[in-house]
Amino acid sequence: MKKALILDLDNTIYPVSSIQGNLFGEIFNLIDVADHLTEQVKLDAKDELTRRPYHLVANKYNFGDALKDKGNDLLKEIAYELPMQPFDDYAQIRSSPLIKFLVTTGFTKLQWSKVKMLDIEQDFAEIHIVDPELSTQTKKDVFADILKRHHLSTSEVLVIGDDPESEIRAATELGIETFLYDPENKHPEASVTFKSFSLKEVLDVLY
Ligand SMILES: [Mg+2]
């Protein structure tokens, strides 16, 4: 019997594509004028930035220290202050009586601004921003800490996310069941407990 849900934020509660035009403009401009990156690398890096944390993308595509620092300086000061909408299905998750935790990776100021604009703060018992700029703590560390402090066994928790390499992996390593929300079937091979195109199917696997 599940007692708690741990949710990711980006592309799990709302689609990053809905804000990326406003959010990524400046950082995309920086990448576009970087002479040391090929056009293909620029395209791939920009695409991946809409799905994965900046520091991972910067490392993967060899941004180098100068570009990496410039992007960091830009992103750590950004807040998103335009209206945002959760996925329609999120309403069903929100109304679930289970205790809910939000654990998201990214820049502290930006992630908090999204929480405010989505108006979801009251849905969660705790909200944790894993900010690689500020701490070496990982999602796995945060999950383990939540279970310990709330006296939850691994079988009482379900982790919900969109990234097999991030929250899904962290949960799997801890022995927690996972629900991969994959509306575009981007990860057909991912090793997960449950998987769906629809977020509200989370409720079907709980009871
Ligand atoms: Mg995500």
Side-chain angles (χ1 to χ4, degrees), residues 23-130:
L23 182 62
F24 292 104
E26 287 184 73
I27 186 79
F28 282 6
N29 288 343
L30 270 184
I31 293 170
D32 280 334
V33 299
D35 293 335
H36 63 295
L37 303 178
T38 66
E39 292 308 311
Q40 189 59 51
V41 163
K42 289 176 187 176
L43 283 176
D44 292 345
K46 288 192 284 188
D47 175 59
E48 204 157 329
L49 266 178
T50 65
R51 287 179 278 111
R52 309 200 63 206
Y54 175 76
H55 71 287
L56 295 179
V57 178
N59 289 339
K60 178 173 173 183
Y61 293 99
N62 298 312
F63 279 15
D65 288 343
L67 176 58
K68 193 175 166 184
D69 289 351
K70 261 193 199 171
N72 253 327
D73 290 346
L74 188 72
L75 286 168
K76 77 180 173 208
E77 294 305 329
I78 286 182
Y80 195 81
E81 286 164 339
L82 297 170
M84 291 175 65
Q85 288 296 327
F87 286 118
D88 288 344
D89 286 8
Y90 177 70
Q92 274 100 339
I93 309 277
R94 175 180 255 161
S95 63
S96 155
L98 301 189
I99 184 170
K100 292 180 270 304
F101 301 91
L102 183 69
V103 182
T104 172
T105 301
F107 293 88
T108 300
K109 186 172 175 180
L110 178 58
Q111 296 308 85
W112 268 113
S113 70
K114 295 176 192 168
V115 169
K116 302 272 186 224
M117 296 318 292
L118 286 162
D119 194 23
I120 56 172
E121 190 170 359
Q122 68 284 354
D123 298 345
F124 296 94
E126 295 176 11
I127 294 177
H128 297 270
I129 315 279
V130 175

Side-chain angles (χ1 to χ4, degrees), residues 146-161:
I146 288 171
L147 266 59
K148 191 171 158 207
R149 285 185 296 103
H150 290 267
H151 309 289
L152 293 161
S153 71
T154 51
S155 64
E156 291 171 329
V157 180
L158 180 69
V159 167
I160 303 165

Side-chain angles (χ1 to χ4, degrees), residues 190-205:
S191 141
V192 294
T193 322
F194 309 103
K195 178 180 152 131
S196 179
F197 306 129
S198 156
L199 193 57
K200 64 175 180 249
E201 283 191 15
V202 166
L203 301 179
D204 298 338
V205 307

